[in-house]
Amino acid sequence: MDSTWVRSYWQRHGGRLTVLLAATVAALSVATGVANIGARSVVGPLGQFVPEWIQRTAGFTGSLTGFLLVVSALGLRRRLRVAWYATTILLPMGALQGLLQSSSLSVPLVVLSIVTFPVVLVNATRFDRELSVSTSQLAAGAALVATQVYGTVGAYTLRDEFTTIDTPIDAFYYAIATASTVGYGDAVPTSQAARLFGISVVLLGASSFALALGTLLGPAIEARFSRALGRMTGSQLELLEDHVLVLGYGDLTEPVVAELTDAAEFLVITPDSERASTLADRDVDVLTADPSDEETLRRARIDDARAVVVATDDDAQDALAVLTARDLNSEVYIVAAATDRENVPKLERAGADTVISPASIGGQLLVRSALDRSDVYDAVARLVEE
């Protein structure tokens, strides 16, 4: 296999492969952990050396590790550095827990964890974004933690006034069950002070959970409104990789969008908010902004784009967009369409790798079809062969 092709493929898809492997390990960790918590029906070669309580504990903690890996994989999709650090810690933990589970079901988890770890290390430079946390998210997290600390410490302090709270773990269990309004009823207050304390935990817990839910749903609702208005959020733009940028929108652009829909991931950048809204209604990724603006192209991740297509009805605007794109990424392949044949050399000098004149091609097709009296598709085939 051509080594150049392999390097090119790795450069384009190494990040996605890392995310896919991490997500697969997460799913295996959850599945094998849940399977090994219950009855031991499948025992591996290490089963005789590892006590059963350790095996079952490893199954429980393995499930937790899997859920944490799911969160890390989502963070890797956003190229977060903290997610990369978390993944490098959780992968060895998952492999170790798989070994301690001592089940043949855990073999795929152990093997895939070992395979994924070097892939994550090799792609470390791809995950360089800092985690940005809003004030409301910090407040929600602090409220959740404070409520659980309050409930745990208070329940343990008043343990003599509850029926089944004897240890800090019992107190923590009570705090979680009460704050989440589950209330199993196994820890019953026996005094007025304990009942008042329980009421306070319910009120604080419900409020903190509601606040946390709001901070989670807020960005999702914002993304939905942004998409309806023809705008993409920063988190959506961060996920773009190996995509095609379509700069500007005009009559020539519509066939380009139709061809790209099933061929590749792409993003249309246009300053026309009405057209952007129309594209968004068709589930086309669109950014309402100036396609010749440097900051806009940086937000659209031109550094990771596989190609740039410029095809509007304004050659002057197209030339400016090509010039800006080439200045920001000297290696990206740029294809431009010239409305006037005279502007083909100008677009090439601006930095386009390929410039196509639809008017010239259309004229040649018409003449060849008329003179040869052949089908237009045959004429197209002959023109492409030349």
Side-chain angles (χ1 to χ4, degrees):
M1 184 179 293
D2 187 1
S3 59
T4 303
W5 182 88
V6 173
R7 286 196 299 270
S8 176
Y9 182 87
W10 184 263
Q11 290 174 355
R12 289 183 175 182
H13 302 287
R16 291 186 177 182
L17 179 62
T18 303
V19 176
L20 178 61
L21 288 174
T24 305
V25 172
L28 283 175
S29 184
V30 173
T32 56
V34 171
N36 288 314
I37 290 176
R40 308 292 299 176
S41 58
V42 182
V43 180
L46 297 179
Q48 57 181 329
F49 303 106
V50 182
E52 184 176 351
W53 70 271
I54 293 182
Q55 297 176 21
R56 300 186 67 175
T57 302
F60 172 72
T61 57
S63 298
L64 292 179
T65 300
F67 285 115
L68 292 175
L69 268 172
V70 170
V71 177
S72 296
L74 293 174
L76 291 177
R77 283 195 64 196
R78 297 184 59 186
R79 300 171 177 268
L80 295 177
R81 190 65 175 173
V82 65
W84 181 86
Y85 283 120
T87 305
T88 57
I89 295 173
L90 293 173
L91 284 175
M93 287 179 58
L96 178 60
Q97 289 162 344
L99 289 174
L100 292 177
Q101 287 166 14
S102 305
S103 169
S104 299
L105 298 175
S106 304
V107 173
L109 170 64
V110 175
V111 173
L112 190 59
S113 297
I114 295 174
V115 171
T116 303
F117 190 72
V119 176
V120 174
L121 294 180
V122 170
N123 287 280
T125 56
R126 296 176 181 271
F127 307 100
D128 55 0
R129 295 186 178 275
E130 298 296 330
L131 178 63
S132 178
V133 182
S134 65
T135 304
S136 59
Q137 291 171 330
L138 285 174
L144 277 175
V145 173
T147 298
Q148 299 312 313
V149 171
Y150 167 74
T152 302
V153 174
Y156 186 70
T157 302
L158 298 172
R159 60 187 179 279
D160 293 336
E161 301 179 43
F162 285 91
T163 54
T164 58
I165 298 180
D166 299 313
T167 67
I169 294 180
D170 294 335
F172 181 67
Y173 166 78
Y174 171 80
I176 292 289
T178 305
S180 61
T181 68
V182 173
Y184 291 112
D186 49 350
V188 181
T190 58
S191 67
Q192 296 295 329
R195 293 189 181 94
L196 291 174
F197 170 74
I199 292 174
S200 68
V201 173
V202 170
L203 293 177
L204 291 175
S207 300
S208 61
F209 276 114
L211 179 60
L213 187 63
T215 59
L216 292 175
L217 291 180
I221 296 174
E222 178 188 359
R224 186 65 181 174
F225 276 110
S226 296
R227 187 173 183 84
L229 296 174
R231 295 194 298 267
M232 293 185 69
T233 62
S235 59
Q236 290 174 317
L237 292 173
E238 288 176 357
L239 299 179
L240 293 174
E241 183 182 18
D242 196 35
H243 55 294
V244 177
L245 288 179
V246 180
L247 305 185
Y249 193 86
D251 295 335
L252 295 175
T253 318
E254 183 57 35
V256 174
V257 172
E259 288 293 324
L260 285 173
T261 298
D262 297 323
E265 183 180 14
F266 67 97
L267 171 67
V268 179
I269 303 177
T270 174
D272 191 330
S273 58
E274 184 176 345
R275 281 182 168 174
S277 180
T278 302
L279 288 171
D281 291 338
R282 293 161 48 189
D283 290 329
V284 174
D285 289 335
V286 58
L287 180 63
T288 307
D290 182 2
S292 61
D293 181 67
E294 291 187 3
E295 183 59 30
T296 297
L297 296 184
R298 288 194 181 96
R299 291 179 57 206
R301 301 190 63 80
I302 191 172
D303 288 340
D304 295 321
R306 63 188 295 186
V308 174
V309 178
V310 186
T312 69
D313 304 322
D314 188 344
D315 287 346
Q317 183 66 27
D318 288 353
L320 184 57
V322 169
L323 188 65
T324 306
R326 177 58 68 206
D327 183 58
L328 293 177
N329 189 341
S330 59
E331 297 181 358
V332 70
Y333 195 82
I334 301 177
V335 180
T339 305
D340 297 326
R341 289 183 299 176
E342 294 79 5
N343 292 328
V344 171
K346 298 177 183 178
L347 288 168
E348 291 176 342
R349 287 196 298 271
D353 295 289
T354 300
V355 181
I356 299 173
S357 175
S360 297
I361 294 177
Q364 293 179 47
L365 290 176
L366 289 172
V367 170
R368 293 192 180 202
S369 181
L371 294 180
D372 298 340
R373 297 175 181 269
S374 59
D375 185 78
V376 67
Y377 295 107
D378 294 333
V380 170
R382 289 196 298 272
L383 185 63
V384 171
E385 291 176 357
E386 295 179 359

